[in-house]
Amino acid sequence: MRQDTDDIRVLLVDDHRVVIEGFIARLESEPGIAVVGTASNGVEALEQAKVLDPDVVLMDITMPILNGLEATALFKQEHPNTKILMLTMHDNREYILEVMQCGASGYILKDVSAEEMVKAIETVHSGASYFCQSASKALFNTPEESPVKTTTKSVLSRREITVLLLVTEGKSSKHIAQELDISVRTVETHRQNIKHKLDITSTAEMITYAVQAGLIDGVG
């Protein structure tokens, strides 16, 4: 495990040791990536993060004690600057949206190549979102009955697009208000205007629209 100060500090979280060892083997020789620690559940991950201050957490979803979804929501509260990259074997669209609603910045399958894993880590570390190819297909191939209107003629303002992108990063209205130096009430107004213009009702649908409209960078 390298400790170079310029490296992206990565924490690996999975309840199967063989999986952890496989990820370490993929990443340990990659320049610019430093695996600084491992954890077997969400509770351990949060404790490790206090000590290790990782830039990116590769987070399994199904784990004992505290699963990846619950842990991600807590990470966004306790370590808002740490990016969460979800690792899973599932590419179901509803599953992906649930993950993104928790505040994860990316979603990749466990069997992706070392090259794509590094690309995903670098992308979310830069502040963009990343979906592996199969996850992208699941999000883009929206059923006709989906509430997201991909043919909408509505045009979002520049500020609304900024708010939308911050929402896709899992940031709360309070955090968005602080980042944009506006009131929480103004953020909520922007969110309501976005939903009205796009004829949608939930945060998950906002994320889906951002992906389908090509507003989110780093889609694999």
Side-chain angles (χ1 to χ4, degrees):
M1 298 183 185
R2 303 187 311 282
Q3 300 298 325
D4 298 343
T5 55
D6 291 335
D7 288 349
I8 300 173
R9 299 170 60 82
V10 176
L11 174 65
L12 303 175
V13 187
D14 195 291
D15 61 327
H16 294 95
R17 189 62 204 176
V18 66
V19 174
I20 289 286
E21 291 174 353
F23 291 153
I24 292 175
R26 292 190 212 180
L27 297 173
E28 63 181 357
S29 62
E30 295 291 339
I33 303 291
V35 177
V36 296
T38 66
S40 60
N41 59 65
V43 172
E44 286 185 11
L46 288 161
E47 288 299 316
Q48 290 276 52
K50 293 178 183 178
V51 178
L52 301 173
D53 190 25
D55 299 308
V56 177
V57 177
L58 269 63
M59 180 85 73
D60 185 23
I61 295 178
T62 305
M63 297 182 293
I65 305 178
L66 188 71
N67 67 40
L69 298 178
E70 297 165 332
T72 296
L74 290 173
F75 257 95
K76 300 312 293 183
Q77 296 176 24
E78 299 177 17
H79 307 279
N81 294 324
T82 299
K83 306 300 182 182
I84 308 297
L85 180 59
M86 282 295 191
L87 294 163
T88 179
M89 296 303 295
H90 307 284
D91 57 4
N92 177 275
R93 181 173 180 274
E94 285 68 32
Y95 206 60
I96 298 170
L97 290 175
E98 184 178 5
V99 165
M100 301 310 291
Q101 276 189 282
C102 291
S105 297
Y107 191 104
I108 59 175
L109 299 188
K110 291 184 178 181
D111 59 358
V112 299
S113 66
E115 181 181 5
E116 180 166 10
M117 186 172 286
V118 170
K119 180 181 178 183
I121 291 170
E122 292 174 341
T123 299
V124 299
H125 180 250
S126 73
S129 298
Y130 188 93
F131 303 89
C132 65
Q133 187 174 18
S134 59
S136 296
K137 288 181 179 178
L139 286 171
F140 275 101
N141 295 335
T142 310
E144 289 184 4
E145 64 272 17
S146 168
V148 177
K149 305 299 189 294
T150 58
T151 58
T152 178
K153 299 297 183 182
S154 300
V155 177
L156 301 181
S157 69
R158 211 173 267 185
R159 176 62 64 145
E160 287 166 349
I161 290 174
T162 299
V163 171
L164 176 59
L165 291 175
L166 291 172
V167 168
T168 68
E169 294 176 13
K171 294 185 178 179
S172 67
S173 292
K174 180 180 178 180
H175 286 136
I176 294 173
Q178 292 173 344
E179 184 160 333
L180 300 181
D181 195 24
I182 57 179
S183 69
V184 173
R185 184 174 181 179
T186 299
V187 174
E188 289 296 332
T189 298
H190 284 312
R191 293 179 74 141
Q192 289 304 315
N193 288 341
I194 292 168
K195 290 177 180 178
H196 176 72
K197 287 184 177 182
L198 302 180
D199 193 15
I200 57 180
T201 60
S202 69
T203 300
E205 291 169 7
M206 291 171 72
I207 294 170
T208 301
Y209 177 85
V211 173
Q212 293 176 328
L215 297 176
I216 295 180
D217 295 327
V219 176

